[in-house]
Amino acid sequence: QVQLVESGGGLVQSGGSLRLSCAASGRMISNNVMGWFRQAPGKEREFVAGLSWSGAITRYADSVKGRFTISRDNPKNKVYLQMHSLRHEDTAVYYCAAAVKSRNYVGSSQAEYDSWGQGTQVTVSS
């Protein structure tokens, strides 16, 4: 079982940037698709970004394309989400997730991910 811990959230002004990190422990995630999801108050959890085991395949929600970048450092067992041009509507709890059965297919459904972190709050002031 892999444990995922997110960090890097906080309060930022509209137009600002943040970099989220996800540290994995318990086993290596280098062979797994990894993803970021978010959940705003009163809304369902939604897919933000994901990438394949090598990082060669990425997938983004339309709402964050061109603003967010997902990356990974397999030797460090970490995944990152660099967020630029943040908007008020990006305010949410951001979750890191691992798809333990997938190396290359980057799904956007929660059901395709098996392990989840506890989340980190991102608040964008307008």
Side-chain angles (χ1 to χ4, degrees):
Q1 185 77 8
V2 62
Q3 290 79 47
L4 303 172
V5 178
E6 304 91 339
S7 62
L11 175 64
V12 64
Q13 289 187 337
S14 181
S17 299
L18 279 177
R19 187 195 193 205
L20 306 183
S21 297
C22 172
S25 62
R27 64 168 183 81
M28 297 301 289
I29 57 169
S30 53
N31 286 324
N32 303 139
V33 163
M34 297 295 295
W36 285 95
F37 287 74
R38 68 186 181 186
Q39 187 168 19
K43 295 187 177 181
E44 294 187 356
R45 192 173 298 187
E46 64 176 1
F47 174 78
V48 175
L51 81 173
S52 61
W53 71 277
S54 66
I57 302 170
T58 58
R59 183 174 183 177
Y60 295 92
D62 288 343
S63 59
V64 306
K65 280 181 182 177
R67 300 188 300 122
F68 291 11
T69 302
I70 188 172
S71 61
R72 66 192 301 161
D73 186 332
N74 283 339
K76 292 185 178 180
N77 226 25
K78 287 187 174 181
V79 179
Y80 306 97
L81 185 68
Q82 179 68 56
M83 305 184 293
H84 294 298
S85 302
L86 282 162
R87 306 166 181 167
H88 179 66
E89 52 265 38
D90 294 318
T91 295
V93 177
Y94 283 71
Y95 298 90
C96 176
V100 298
K101 298 179 181 178
S102 181
R103 280 169 56 89
N104 286 309
Y105 175 71
V106 182
S108 61
S109 168
Q110 293 184 63
E112 294 167 305
Y113 293 80
D114 313 274
S115 299
W116 294 83
Q118 294 299 306
T120 185
Q121 176 71 48
V122 172
T123 302
V124 184
S125 62
S126 55

